């Protein structure tokens, strides 16, 4: 069994996965461009801004990789459905940035900063609709069911996050429930549908769904670590956004649980009352370092990463399986 703690001779990367799905990803990008067309000029303009901003495109790559792993042969289903996954993800990003009042996305001005909140929300709705048009064209009711349910779960996760924000009583269990819904659900669905279109067993479908769920959870845990540790130039968003928004993430939960009365009062003032003073972010980072909360959060990410890797043991060894394992290791070691 591959162990995530095994010493790496080189830094893990997505290069192998990108190379193995490159030809299909080019076709995915073309499907995305074709389906962004609209007579309403602002729609392709705003959507093109997001596409040009790049990103790792992890979710559609997982659909293509899972299909390859399951021996999917030919046809356009994998490409079309990978594009659907990216449409759903992009739509959620547009909505998230409005809710969070984010000014940066992938190191560039966010769509809502450039085009306004109203346009961002409505174009997000357009992209959701486009995803379902392509899904219906694919003709698989099972895939439609999986992606429709995932979309609903993502929305539930965002609403759940609103209810845990600014609440220092949030437990690790509640936090994990939020990130499983708002991030991991789409990773899981993206991976599962690769098995569905390859007509694999229910057990293989479930294994790949769990691969995506565990990978997505680890991915979000690292995102939340980076909000307190990364440099803005590499992170692609403003460092400390979660802190200023009052999002109670795992590093904060750990630091609060271990803190004394004065430190707990600091967290409540900042996260619950949203009353900030100069130097509060530095103080938050200092407390997180004091209680080693970033390392503890990284350890949790590694645990979920190992669970993701373990789900692949039932599949045949080969280059695509190795690349999917390395993708897990990359997500945990990434500096951005």
């Amino acid at each position: 069994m591959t162990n995530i703690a095994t010493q790496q001779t080189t830094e893990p990367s997505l290069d192998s996965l990108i190379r193995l799905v490159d030809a299909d990803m080019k076709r995915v990008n073309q499907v995305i461009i074709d389906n962004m067309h609209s007579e309403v000029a602002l729609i392709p303009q705003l959507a093109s801004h997001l596409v040009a901003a790049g990103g790792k495109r992890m979710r559609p790559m997982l659909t293509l990789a899972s299909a390859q792993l399951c021996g999917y042969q030919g046809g356009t289903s994998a490409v079309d459905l990978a594009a659907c996954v990216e449409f759903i993800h992009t739509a959620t990003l547009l909505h998230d940035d409005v809710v969070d009042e984010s000014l940066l996305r992938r190191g560039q001005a966010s769509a809502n900063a450039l085009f306004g909140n109203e346009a961002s929300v409505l174009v997000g709705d357009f992209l959701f609709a486009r995803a379902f048009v392509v899904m219906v064209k694919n003709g698989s009711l099972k895939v439609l069911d999986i992606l429709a349910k995932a979309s609903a779960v993502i929305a539930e996760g965002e609403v759940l996050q609103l209810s845990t924000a600014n609440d220092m009583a949030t437990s690790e269990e509640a936090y994990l429930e939020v990130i499983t819904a708002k991030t991991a659900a789409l990773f899981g669905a993206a991976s599962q549908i690769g098995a569905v279109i390859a007509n694999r067993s229910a057990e293989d479908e479930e294994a790949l769904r769990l691969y995506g769920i565990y990978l997505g959870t680890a991915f979000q845990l690292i995102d939340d670590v980076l909000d307190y540790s990364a440099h803005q130039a590499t992170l692609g968003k403003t460092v400390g956004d979660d802190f200023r928004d009052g999002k109670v993430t795992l590093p904060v939960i750990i630091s609060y649980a271990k803190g004394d009365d004065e430190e707990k009062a600091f967290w409540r003032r900042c996260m619950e009352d949203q009353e900030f003073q100069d130097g509060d972010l530095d103080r938050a980072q200092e407390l997180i370092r004091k209680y080693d909360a970033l390392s503890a959060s990284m350890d949790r990410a590694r645990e979920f990463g190992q669970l993701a890797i373990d789900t692949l043991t039932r599949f045949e060894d080969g280059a695509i399986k190795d690349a999917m394992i390395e993708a897990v290791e990359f997500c945990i070691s990434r500096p951005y």
Side-chain angles (χ1 to χ4, degrees):
M1 180 180 72
T2 303
N3 192 307
I4 206 161
T6 301
Q7 187 67 36
Q8 296 282 333
T9 54
T10 57
E11 285 296 315
S13 76
L14 289 178
D15 292 349
S16 297
L17 185 63
I18 290 168
R19 185 176 65 255
L20 288 166
V21 301
D22 181 62
D24 280 340
M25 275 304 297
K26 286 184 171 67
R27 295 163 64 200
V28 169
N29 290 334
Q30 190 57 53
V31 172
I32 289 170
I33 290 166
D34 291 345
N35 281 276
M36 287 193 311
H37 176 72
S38 169
E39 297 301 323
V40 181
L42 184 59
I43 291 175
Q45 185 182 355
L46 192 153
S48 296
H49 168 77
L50 278 172
V51 171
K56 292 175 280 295
R57 297 281 175 90
M58 279 286 295
R59 296 153 188 83
M61 284 199 294
L62 289 178
T63 298
L64 298 174
S66 296
Q68 271 193 43
L69 183 70
C70 291
Y72 176 75
Q73 296 291 327
T76 60
S77 288
V79 168
D80 288 345
L81 294 174
C84 289
V85 166
E86 186 64 10
F87 276 133
I88 292 169
H89 175 55
T90 304
T92 64
L93 293 185
L94 284 168
H95 291 166
D96 286 355
D97 284 347
V98 170
V99 171
D100 295 341
E101 299 178 358
S102 299
L103 299 179
L104 286 178
R105 167 64 63 183
R106 295 165 181 162
Q108 298 186 24
S110 61
N112 50 299
L114 288 176
F115 300 96
N117 288 339
E118 296 89 345
S120 292
V121 169
L122 294 171
V123 173
D125 293 344
F126 173 85
L127 294 179
F128 265 125
R130 278 295 193 212
F132 283 93
V133 167
V134 177
M135 273 185 259
V136 169
K137 200 182 301 181
N138 172 261
S140 169
L141 283 177
K142 186 167 189 177
V143 167
L144 184 60
D145 181 58
I146 290 166
L147 289 176
K149 284 178 177 173
S151 299
V153 169
I154 293 165
E156 288 174 340
E158 291 296 340
V159 175
L160 186 60
Q161 182 168 264
L162 289 178
S163 68
T164 61
N166 314 114
D167 183 3
M168 289 309 304
T170 301
S171 64
E172 180 178 339
E173 182 182 16
Y175 161 78
L176 288 172
E177 185 181 354
V178 168
I179 67 173
T180 297
K182 82 182 197 69
T183 301
L186 189 56
F187 276 81
S191 302
Q192 181 183 358
I193 60 177
V196 172
I197 61 174
N199 297 312
R200 295 291 285 256
S201 67
E203 291 78 13
D204 286 348
E205 272 187 48
E206 178 64 6
L208 282 169
R209 185 188 73 83
L210 288 174
Y211 168 82
I213 290 286
Y214 295 141
L215 172 57
T217 303
F219 184 94
Q220 187 61 52
L221 277 160
I222 296 300
D223 248 21
D224 294 344
V225 164
L226 291 172
D227 195 68
Y228 287 94
S229 64
H231 298 291
Q232 184 169 314
T234 55
L235 185 59
K237 64 176 184 177
T238 310
V239 172
D241 270 352
D242 289 350
F243 177 69
R244 284 179 286 269
D245 291 342
K247 289 182 181 176
V248 183
T249 58
L250 190 56
V252 174
I253 291 168
I254 292 169
S255 299
Y256 182 78
K258 293 182 176 180
D260 59 27
D261 288 345
E262 182 273 328
E263 291 162 351
K264 283 183 165 66
F266 163 81
W267 286 115
R268 287 194 296 270
R269 172 173 63 79
C270 295
M271 307 301 279
E272 294 185 347
D273 301 336
Q274 292 280 278
E275 293 177 359
F276 295 107
Q277 301 169 5
D278 289 344
D280 278 346
L281 178 58
D282 290 338
R283 173 68 168 148
Q285 290 172 315
E286 175 191 316
L287 292 175
I288 284 170
R289 283 193 297 271
K290 175 180 177 180
Y291 294 112
D292 215 16
L294 295 183
S295 293
S297 299
M298 290 279 293
D299 287 344
R300 291 293 279 137
R302 290 188 189 96
E303 289 171 17
F304 281 104
Q306 188 61 55
L307 289 170
I309 289 171
D310 291 348
T311 65
L312 298 180
T313 55
R314 65 184 293 113
F315 296 98
E316 185 178 344
D317 290 342
I320 193 66
K321 179 175 171 179
D322 290 344
M324 291 173 72
I325 289 170
E326 190 177 6
V328 177
E329 294 162 346
F330 167 79
C331 284
I332 291 167
S333 66
R334 66 197 168 99
Y336 56 91

